[in-house]
Amino acid sequence: MGHLPVDIVVGGFFGDEGKGKVVAYLSLSKKPFAVIRTGATNAGHTVVYRGNVWKLRAVPSGFVEKSTRLYLARGMLVDKEVFLSEVRSLGLRGRVWMDHNTGIITWEHVSRERSDEYLMKSIGSTGTGVGAAMVERVLRRLRLARDYPELREFLADTQAELLDALDRGENVLVEAAQGYWLSLYHGTYPFVTSRDTTASAALSEVGLGPRHVGRIIVVFKAYVTRVGQGPLPGEITHEEAVKRGWAEYGTVTGRPRRVAPFSLELARRAVRANSATEVAVTKLDKLFHEASCVREWEKLPMEARKWIEWVESSLGVPVSIIGTGADAECVIDRAKEVGVE
Ligand code: GTP
Ligand code: IMP
Ligand code: MG
């Protein structure tokens, strides 16, 4: 079919795999016409670039590439205040567009969730109003972006703009949120989020069909983390996680993330169900300290290369991107070498 211009970055575990960093790297290196974010503002993506750290809940992590347009998908659910404050603090006016039909989360949705003991205690929800807004959307009562005058300057038909860009031969990057095992349909129900988290669902939220898709990059961390309740095979204690240098805290809630070693079993299903063309593995530096911010495959310690090769042969897809540090530039890009680009 020739050049396929849409690439998707999607999570393969329980979210927080480092999609923000992978998207920032791909935006800086490929300079796509646009990056479009899917999901909702319960997800926090971290971007570290040249000494700055950003925690993003609404706008795409590709904002670090100045030539790239930033879109919020119409299938998204967005807390208006979170969006406006990110646009203001990052100075993104004129570069960021929200679809007319993006669903808007208000303080009422947030307070409804926070007073719901089942959601907050048994499920461990982030309490950011996403599920409550989703319920209203399904009931066709939710107000959309087009209903808010203060959002007028940001509104666009993001689907039409992307379709036109694709007709012109431009490239588009889709940034999904959370991870396969938090999917409402495919995850560890009821300990899941309120939407599907697969690559197909991300495309559906954007409004593009699968024929445009080239790379489907499923992101894994070198170990597994989970926030909130629900099963986590091989879970280790917080003390053990601290000892191994794997302790993390939630971007949105600040809660300590639960931790387990890398799971081939979880990864295999996520790869197959997303029809991954390839995999990205972040935080290799947390398994092999000498890998810290290494940018060339040949410079990785032998055991680190062996571990990556073991992941590749066990999953049956290449590892095209390797994260070796939090900064967007601490990446080994093997896309050409492994034949996915
Ligand atoms: P969700 O959409 O919430 O699932 O988030 P996410 O996948 O964007 O991940 P998040 O930013 O919440 O968490 C990943 C953490 O790992 C962040 O603190 C990143 O800065 C960090 N990180 C990402 N890649 C690497 C890496 O290769 N090495 C190291 N040391 N840190 C990394
Ligand atoms: P909710 O979607 O906020 O209601 O949360 C439901 C479950 O999904 C909880 O276990 C949350 O911790 C988890 N969750 C939601 N968003 C994220 C995310 O971005 N990263 C990791 N876990 C998340
Ligand atoms: Mg996160």
Side-chain angles (χ1 to χ4, degrees):
M1 228 189 111
H3 174 62
L4 292 166
V6 178
D7 295 335
I8 308 182
V9 174
V10 67
F13 286 147
F14 297 93
D16 308 323
E17 300 91 352
K19 293 175 290 296
K21 177 245 179 69
V22 171
V23 167
Y25 167 75
L26 288 172
S27 303
L28 289 164
S29 58
K30 309 285 170 234
K31 305 188 186 334
F33 170 75
V35 186
I36 183 157
R37 171 88 133 83
T38 66
T41 41
N42 47 357
H45 294 197
T46 312
V47 176
V48 182
Y49 184 51
R50 301 195 166 159
N52 294 301
V53 182
W54 296 276
K55 307 267 179 197
L56 307 167
R57 293 175 54 192
V59 305
S61 303
F63 84 93
V64 284
E65 172 50 48
K66 300 257 182 330
S67 68
T68 291
R69 282 165 179 255
L70 309 170
Y71 290 115
L72 278 71
R74 56 174 61 160
M76 263 190 106
L77 291 159
V78 174
D79 187 315
K80 183 166 58 72
E81 305 314 321
V82 170
F83 170 75
L84 290 172
S85 97
E86 280 181 14
V87 170
R88 263 194 306 270
S89 66
L90 299 170
L92 297 178
R93 256 204 174 98
R95 268 189 71 200
V96 66
W97 288 274
M98 182 188 281
D99 199 273
H100 296 98
N101 288 353
T102 299
I104 299 299
I105 300 169
T106 64
W107 65 269
E108 286 163 301
H109 301 116
V110 175
S111 64
R112 206 172 301 153
E113 287 198 346
R114 292 199 178 160
S115 57
D116 182 332
E117 200 169 317
Y118 169 71
L119 208 51
M120 297 309 291
K121 293 230 170 84
S122 304
I123 304 297
S125 171
T126 58
T128 47
V130 179
M134 191 62 162
V135 167
E136 279 192 6
R137 190 165 196 165
V138 172
L139 294 174
R140 279 132 302 158
R141 291 199 176 100
L142 186 69
R143 292 168 71 205
L144 306 181
R146 65 189 187 208
D147 301 317
Y148 290 87
E150 63 272 45
L151 292 175
R152 193 163 299 148
E153 65 172 299
F154 302 104
L155 298 188
D157 181 339
T158 61
Q159 182 197 40
E161 290 194 14
L162 292 185
L163 288 169
D164 290 347
L166 294 176
D167 285 347
R168 294 194 302 272
E170 309 262 18
N171 294 314
V172 170
L173 185 59
V174 177
E175 174 177 8
Q178 289 114 12
Y180 181 74
W181 295 98
L182 285 177
S183 164
L184 181 61
Y185 306 142
H186 312 292
T188 55
Y189 187 89
F191 306 105
V192 294
T193 188
S194 51
R195 41 177 294 280
D196 185 16
T197 53
T198 58
S200 322
L203 272 184
S204 159
E205 287 183 29
V206 174
L208 294 179
R211 263 166 67 101
H212 292 108
V213 177
R215 300 173 67 182
I216 301 170
I217 305 169
V218 176
V219 185
F220 298 112
K221 204 149 46 181
Y223 47 90
V224 185
T225 60
R226 165 162 215 169
V227 277
Q229 308 304 316
L232 179 57
E235 182 167 7
I236 60 174
T237 61
H238 183 68
E239 292 67 43
E240 181 60 24
V242 171
K243 209 155 79 193
R244 296 189 192 189
W246 298 355
E248 294 183 17
Y249 299 87
T251 307
V252 175
T253 58
R255 292 179 291 182
R257 290 177 179 162
R258 297 161 58 199
V259 182
F262 187 85
S263 164
L264 267 186
E265 201 188 333
L266 296 180
R268 232 183 236 127
R269 178 64 72 89
V271 161
R272 294 170 69 207
N274 281 298
S275 62
T277 57
E278 64 210 87
V279 153
V281 176
T282 63
K283 294 211 164 186
L284 189 68
D285 53 304
K286 295 290 179 175
L287 293 192
F288 306 95
H289 295 294
E290 319 85 275
S292 188
C293 211
V294 167
R295 299 177 62 181
E296 288 165 55
W297 173 251
E298 291 71 25
K299 295 199 174 146
L300 278 180
M302 177 68 89
E303 325 87 85
R305 275 183 277 166
K306 283 219 172 96
W307 188 80
I308 293 286
E309 283 165 354
W310 167 75
V311 169
E312 283 184 324
S313 63
S314 311
L315 296 179
V317 285
V319 176
S320 57
I321 295 172
I322 300 169
T324 55
D327 193 282
E329 292 183 317
C330 295
V331 164
I332 300 172
D333 188 341
R334 300 169 75 224
K336 286 207 176 76
E337 194 181 322
V338 298
V340 293
E341 191 180 69

